C-alpha cells in the first residue's frame, strides 16, 4: 500500500473523520481510482477489527471509526454508483435478523448499483418477513444476504427455507456473504452464490444472472 493509502487506513483506524474526509477528497481531486481509495479505508477498519478481536479496543472506538469511514464512503458513493447504466436486474440486499453490521452490506449494494443493478435495501436486523415482502414487491433476480456473526449466519437458511415455502425459490437466486461466511457454509445452507468481498460480489451477481438466462 502506498504511503498515503496507509495514512487513510490509519485515519479510519483512529476514527479521525476530518482526516478521512481530507484525504479522500484530495485523492479524488488527483483522479485516483475510487476503488483504491475505498480499499484504503477497508484496510483501516479491518486492522481495527483485529484489535477488537484481541480485546485491545472496545465498541465505542469501533463506532467512532465506523462513523469516520462512513463519511469517506459517502464522498465516494456517487463515483462508485454510476447512475447512467441500464438496469441489469434487481437485487434485494439486507443484513439478516439479529445483525446490525451494515458497512459490508452497504458496500456490496453500492458496488452492484455502480455496475448496473437496481438495489432494494431492506436495511439491518431484517426479519425473514421483510425479505419475503421485498421479494414479492420487487420481483428481484437476486437476493443478497449479509451476516457478520456466527450467531446470525443460520438466518441465511431461514430465509432460503421461507422463500421455498412461499414458492419464490425458483425465481430468485440467493447470494450470501460477510466476514465469517465461507463458500462451504454458503453451499451447506443452500445458497446459489457467495463472494468474499464487494468487488467479487459483482462478478458473482453477473454469474448468477447468466445461469438464469439459460
Ligand atoms: C464495525 C464492527 C462493528 C460495528 C458495526 C457498525 C456498522 N454500522 O456496521 C458495531 C460496533 C456496532 C459492532 C457490534 C457488534 N459486533 Co462487530 N464488528 C465490526 C468489525 C470491526 C468490522 C466489520 C466491518 O464493517 N468490516 C468492513 C467490511 C467492509 O467488511 P465486511 O462486513 O466483512 O463485508 C465485506 C465482505 O464480508 C463482503 N460481504 C459482506 N456482506 C456481504 C453480503 C453478500 C451477499 C456478499 C456476496 C458479500 C458480502 O463484502 C464486504 C465488502 O468487501 C468486525 C471485525 C471483522 N473483522 O469483520 C466485528 C465483528 C463482526 N463483530 C463482532 C461482534 C462479536 C460484535 C458484537 C456481538 C459485539 C458485542 N459484544 O456487542 C456486536 C453485535 C451487534 C449485532 N447484533 O449485530 C465479531 C463477530 C464474531 C463472530 N464470528 O460472530 C467480529 C468479527 C469482531 C471479532 N473478531 O470479535 N461491530
Amino acid at each position: 500500500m502506498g504511503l498515503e493509502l496507509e495514512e487513510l487506513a490509519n485515519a479510519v483506524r483512529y476514527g479521525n473523520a476530518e482526516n478521512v474526509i481530507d484525504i479522500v477528497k484530495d485523492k479524488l481531486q488527483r483522479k485516483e481510482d475510487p476503488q483504491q481509495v475505498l480499499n484504503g479505508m477497508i484496510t483501516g477498519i479491518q486492522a481495527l477489527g483485529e484489535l477488537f478481536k484481541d480485546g485491545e479496543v472496545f465498541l465505542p472506538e469501533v463506532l467512532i471509526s465506523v462513523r469516520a469511514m462512513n463519511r469517506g464512503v459517502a464522498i465516494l458513493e456517487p463515483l462508485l454508483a454510476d447512475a447512467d447504466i441500464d438496469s441489469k436486474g434487481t437485487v434485494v440486499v439486507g443484513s439478516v435478523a439479529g445483525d446490525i453490521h451494515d458497512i459490508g452490506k452497504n458496500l456490496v449494494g453500492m458496488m452492484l448499483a455502480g455496475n448496473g443493478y437496481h438495489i432494494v435495501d431492506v436495511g439491518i436486523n431484517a426479519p425473514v418477513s421483510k425479505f419475503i415482502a421485498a421479494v414479492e414487491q420487487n420481483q428481484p433476480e437476486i437476493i443478497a444476504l449479509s451476516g457478520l456473526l456466527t450467531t446470525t449466519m443460520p438466518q441465511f437458511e431461514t430465509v432460503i427455507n421461507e422463500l421455498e415455502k412461499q414458492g419464490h425459490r425458483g425465481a430468485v437466486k440467493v447470494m450470501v456473504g460477510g466476514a465469517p461466511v465461507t463458500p462451504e457454509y454458503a453451499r451447506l445452507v443452500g445458497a446459489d452464490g457467495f463472494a468474499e468481498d464487494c468487488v467479487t460480489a459483482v462478478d458473482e451477481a453477473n454469474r448468477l444472472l447468466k445461469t438464469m438466462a439459460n
Side-chain angles (χ1 to χ4, degrees):
M1 198 183 352
L3 185 64
E4 287 168 358
L5 275 185
E6 205 171 305
E7 225 179 288
L8 178 57
N10 278 333
V12 169
R13 148 81 184 82
Y14 291 102
N16 191 333
E18 304 269 294
N19 276 2
V20 171
I21 293 167
D22 285 349
I23 299 172
V24 169
K25 282 188 173 162
D26 179 62
K27 289 188 161 298
L28 292 180
Q29 242 160 26
R30 288 190 279 129
K31 306 266 179 259
E32 288 189 32
D33 179 8
Q35 184 62 52
Q36 285 302 322
V37 181
L38 178 61
N39 288 345
M41 289 195 283
I42 292 179
T43 305
I45 200 85
Q46 277 170 346
L48 187 69
E50 289 305 308
L51 296 170
F52 180 53
K53 184 167 72 184
D54 298 341
E56 284 175 42
V57 299
F58 299 99
L59 284 183
E61 289 151 281
V62 177
L63 275 177
I64 291 167
S65 288
V66 168
R67 220 173 293 151
M69 171 147 176
N70 282 338
R71 299 286 296 274
V73 170
I75 302 171
L76 290 179
E77 189 165 6
L79 295 163
L80 293 171
D82 186 343
D84 278 352
I85 318 174
D86 279 343
S87 180
K88 283 186 188 166
T90 298
V91 183
V92 167
V93 301
S95 300
V96 294
D99 214 310
I100 63 164
H101 296 88
D102 69 353
I103 299 182
K105 182 260 300 168
N106 292 344
L107 291 177
V108 168
M110 214 183 280
M111 289 307 289
L112 288 171
N115 283 275
Y117 288 91
H118 171 60
I119 302 301
V120 176
D121 189 342
V122 298
I124 54 171
N125 189 17
V128 178
S129 58
K130 213 165 174 181
F131 283 107
I132 300 294
V135 165
E136 289 173 351
Q137 275 163 27
N138 302 283
Q139 261 123 38
E141 281 75 11
I142 299 170
I143 168 163
L145 306 173
S146 182
L148 267 281
L149 300 168
T150 39
T151 49
T152 59
M153 280 161 57
Q155 284 292 320
F156 297 157
E157 198 167 13
T158 311
V159 174
I160 290 170
N161 288 343
E162 194 59 23
L163 285 169
E164 187 93 52
K165 211 161 128 198
Q166 302 293 332
H168 302 307
R169 188 67 184 96
V172 60
K173 296 286 177 193
V174 179
M175 98 183 176
V176 298
V181 185
T182 61
E184 292 72 31
Y185 188 79
R187 259 196 304 277
L188 189 74
V189 296
D192 305 296
F194 160 81
E196 197 80 45
D197 57 51
C198 56
V199 175
T200 50
V202 176
D203 299 333
E204 187 67 346
N206 292 341
R207 184 186 70 80
L208 291 178
L209 213 59
K210 259 194 210 142
T211 64
M212 294 181 92
N214 294 328

